[in-house]
Amino acid sequence: MAPLVPYLGILLKGALVTLGLAALSLVFASVIGVVIGMVATSRSASARAFAKLYVETIRSVPLLVQLFFVYYALPLLANVSPSPYHAATLALSVYGGAYMVEAVRSGILSVGTDQWMAARSLGIRYRVMMLYIVAPQALRVTIPAAMGIFIDMLKGASVTSIIGFVELMQTAVNIRNTIFALSPIAAAAVLYFVMCFSLSRVGAGLERVLRYEDR
Amino acid sequence: MAEPILSVEGLVKSYGTHQVLQGISFAVQTQEVLVIIGLSGSGKSTLLRCINGLEDFSAGRIVVDGIAVDPHRASVWAVRQKVGMIFQHFNLFPHLTARQNIELAPRRVLGLPLAECHARADALLARVGLAQFADKYPGRLSGGQQQRVAIARALAMQPRLMLFDEPTSALDPETVGEVLNTMKELAASGMTMIVVTHELGFAREVGDRILFMDGGVIVEEGAPEVILSRPQNPRTRQFIQAVL
């Protein structure tokens, strides 16, 4: 382990880069999730079909393939050349977004039609109903699921090393190539575990806070 | 006779080939309490949902306080503000306290100031005998208490007409009475009400008129003592004997 010690600082920095990438992508994924999730529960069948197409397409193609597509195919198709960081953020956001749509959709559907009927019978329209009645109840289902998605995105961020983005995994590989030992990879594993396990605990805590049945 | 607050003419509602309502016509006058009885599946709940535009109908005409009900037009929102509805399963918002349940629509639909909404909610809670439960969540209340909060919530919008869809069917027997008492008080205060119920005692005591529905049509209608004691139609007779 001794040869690893001088490199612990940059490993930690790599972990922070991973966390930052996943967090920023989570923000975009959440926006996608809320917008397309509402489309996915709308009354229009064609709008729902569009949402389903997005979700099923993204979920059925590996993140790695999507990453290649964004980084190598986008310059050819759309004449834009994203940096590795931008490509990683875009791919991870679109990928996480598809799962987030499902989390938001199941959250909205968990609020029964009896609530919609009660709201309408009081003269409460869609926007107010979504904001004050559906969203607070949907969050109980959506937030814990979103934490799981965040964890997946954080682990998925390791794939972005393939297009030359230096995050935790690529940092560990670089150190390994310098000191010729497996210890940097083991250290990366520990850092991944610490981050993911903590997030999972936070998720469980949020789940408890969001319960109102026994208030 | 004055213009009725509600008139229903030739109402037809079908799901595919099945006709749930096969040409229903009746009118309700202001301050009248109309009780609708009938077997489950006879179309009573569907009828109530058509009246405040929660459900579409196939043919006929419904007019509430001068507004034709059409779920596809913006005017349906004006109808819903005039019509309060009470559901079999209360349908309270579980993430809000009793007071917040009552305040939500006055605050977000009518845009009243918070203090006024508060005062209105507390007055209504007192009226239904639940002043001390203002800060309780629905999950902490009995079925009867939840239904009384639901009544207060509907009253907060100051409706001209209240619809009750089997308000006591989901309750434990010991809490049925408190809800019926609240409804009696409401009727005595002059509220116009349509009540779908199997509580024939309530129908006799509070109802001005009873409609008996079967198979999507009104089989018989009349004063409670006539319908309950001397029904003319054999199907009405059969139903009343079965319920009593």
Side-chain angles (χ1 to χ4, degrees), chain A residues 43 113-126 128 132-134 136-137 212-215, chain B residues 49 52 54 74 77 80-81 83 85 87 91-95 104-105 108-109 137 139-140 153-154 157:
Chain A
R43 264 191 282 184
T113 50
D114 61 332
Q115 297 282 299
W116 296 57
M117 277 216 275
R120 251 181 257 153
S121 78
L122 287 164
I124 298 172
R125 300 186 191 213
Y126 184 81
V128 169
Y132 295 99
I133 298 168
V134 176
Q137 298 186 63
Y212 48 69
E213 281 86 356
D214 39 37
R215 243 182 231 167
Chain B
R49 287 202 296 271
N52 68 352
L54 286 182
W77 293 102
R80 287 173 184 156
Q81 283 191 31
V83 181
M85 185 150 185
F87 301 88
N91 300 14
L92 291 180
F93 307 127
H95 60 298
L104 185 63
R108 301 295 166 192
V109 177
Y137 286 87
R140 289 282 188 207
R153 181 177 68 175
M157 291 299 280

Side-chain angles (χ1 to χ4, degrees), chain B residues 115-188:
Chain B
E116 196 178 329
C117 294
H118 248 57
R120 196 181 274 200
D122 287 344
L124 285 166
L125 279 168
R127 181 171 171 188
V128 299
L130 294 171
Q132 70 274 38
F133 294 97
D135 297 315
K136 290 265 192 286
Y137 286 87
R140 289 282 188 207
L141 302 175
S142 74
Q145 290 167 337
Q146 288 189 55
Q147 194 61 296
R148 285 188 282 155
V149 173
I151 292 172
R153 181 177 68 175
L155 289 176
M157 291 299 280
Q158 301 179 330
R160 303 278 324 270
L161 168 68
M162 288 275 282
L163 309 176
F164 293 81
D165 188 5
E166 302 205 22
T168 58
S169 299
L171 296 178
D172 293 329
E174 67 267 26
T175 66
V176 168
E178 64 193 54
V179 171
L180 291 180
N181 282 335
T182 304
M183 290 166 61
K184 275 178 210 167
E185 186 271 324
L186 200 55

Side-chain angles (χ1 to χ4, degrees), chain A residues 90-160:
Chain A
L90 178 59
L92 213 52
S93 300
V94 170
Y95 172 81
Y99 288 88
M100 212 58 110
V101 168
E102 279 305 282
V104 170
R105 193 181 73 93
S106 52
I108 291 175
L109 292 183
S110 77
V111 182
T113 50
D114 61 332
Q115 297 282 299
W116 296 57
M117 277 216 275
R120 251 181 257 153
S121 78
L122 287 164
I124 298 172
R125 300 186 191 213
Y126 184 81
R127 196 184 62 84
V128 169
M129 176 181 73
M130 275 295 166
L131 215 53
Y132 295 99
I133 298 168
V134 176
Q137 298 186 63
L139 282 177
R140 285 183 317 145
V141 171
T142 300
I143 296 263
M147 286 309 285
I149 294 167
F150 186 32
I151 289 170
D152 264 354
M153 288 167 70
L154 196 139
K155 291 185 292 185
S158 61
V159 170
T160 64

Side-chain angles (χ1 to χ4, degrees), chain B residues 1-207:
Chain B
M1 204 134 84
E3 186 76 4
I5 181 107
L6 167 72
S7 76
V8 177
E9 290 157 33
L11 186 66
V12 175
K13 159 89 188 172
S14 22
Y15 293 105
T17 56
H18 177 56
Q19 267 201 1
V20 188
L21 300 174
Q22 311 185 11
I24 300 275
S25 299
F26 66 93
V28 175
Q29 301 296 328
T30 305
Q31 303 208 340
E32 193 180 8
V33 176
L34 176 70
V35 177
I36 303 178
I37 58 174
L39 292 168
S40 14
S42 58
K44 299 165 295 178
S45 299
T46 308
L47 171 61
L48 288 194
R49 287 202 296 271
C50 286
I51 291 173
N52 68 352
L54 286 182
E55 229 169 295
D56 213 349
F57 47 93
S58 321
R61 187 174 156 80
I62 302 174
V63 179
V64 174
D65 203 14
I67 306 172
V69 179
D70 180 346
H72 304 292
R73 308 191 98 183
S75 61
V76 76
W77 293 102
V79 172
R80 287 173 184 156
Q81 283 191 31
K82 288 172 187 282
V83 181
M85 185 150 185
I86 300 302
F87 301 88
Q88 185 176 354
H89 296 284
F90 335 127
N91 300 14
L92 291 180
F93 307 127
H95 60 298
L96 301 177
T97 63
R99 184 193 281 119
Q100 291 169 334
N101 261 277
I102 299 168
E103 280 171 354
L104 185 63
R107 180 111 181 88
R108 301 295 166 192
V109 177
L110 304 179
L112 298 181
L114 189 60
E116 196 178 329
C117 294
H118 248 57
R120 196 181 274 200
D122 287 344
L124 285 166
L125 279 168
R127 181 171 171 188
V128 299
L130 294 171
Q132 70 274 38
F133 294 97
D135 297 315
K136 290 265 192 286
Y137 286 87
R140 289 282 188 207
L141 302 175
S142 74
Q145 290 167 337
Q146 288 189 55
Q147 194 61 296
R148 285 188 282 155
V149 173
I151 292 172
R153 181 177 68 175
L155 289 176
M157 291 299 280
Q158 301 179 330
R160 303 278 324 270
L161 168 68
M162 288 275 282
L163 309 176
F164 293 81
D165 188 5
E166 302 205 22
T168 58
S169 299
L171 296 178
D172 293 329
E174 67 267 26
T175 66
V176 168
E178 64 193 54
V179 171
L180 291 180
N181 282 335
T182 304
M183 290 166 61
K184 275 178 210 167
E185 186 271 324
L186 200 55
S189 77
M191 178 60 76
T192 313
M193 295 161 61
I194 302 179
V195 184
V196 168
T197 187
H198 295 295
E199 296 286 338
L200 297 188
F202 175 86
R204 186 187 295 273
E205 193 184 334
V206 184

Side-chain angles (χ1 to χ4, degrees), chain A residues 15-89:
Chain A
L16 286 179
V17 170
T18 286
L19 198 60
L21 171 66
L24 181 63
S25 304
L26 179 74
V27 172
F28 292 135
S30 301
V31 174
I32 294 173
V34 169
V35 173
I36 313 273
M38 277 164 61
V39 170
T41 54
S42 76
R43 264 191 282 184
S44 155
S46 51
R48 287 201 307 269
F50 161 76
K52 198 167 175 58
L53 179 72
Y54 164 64
V55 169
E56 295 302 333
T57 306
I58 297 299
R59 293 204 307 184
S60 307
V61 177
L63 175 59
L64 182 59
V65 176
Q66 293 177 40
L67 197 61
F68 266 69
F69 183 84
V70 169
Y71 191 63
Y72 294 109
L74 222 49
L76 301 176
L77 294 174
N79 203 23
V80 284
S81 306
S83 69
Y85 175 69
H86 287 141
T89 309

Side-chain angles (χ1 to χ4, degrees), chain A residues 127 192 197 201:
Chain A
R127 196 184 62 84
Y192 275 118
F197 185 72
R201 297 321 303 155

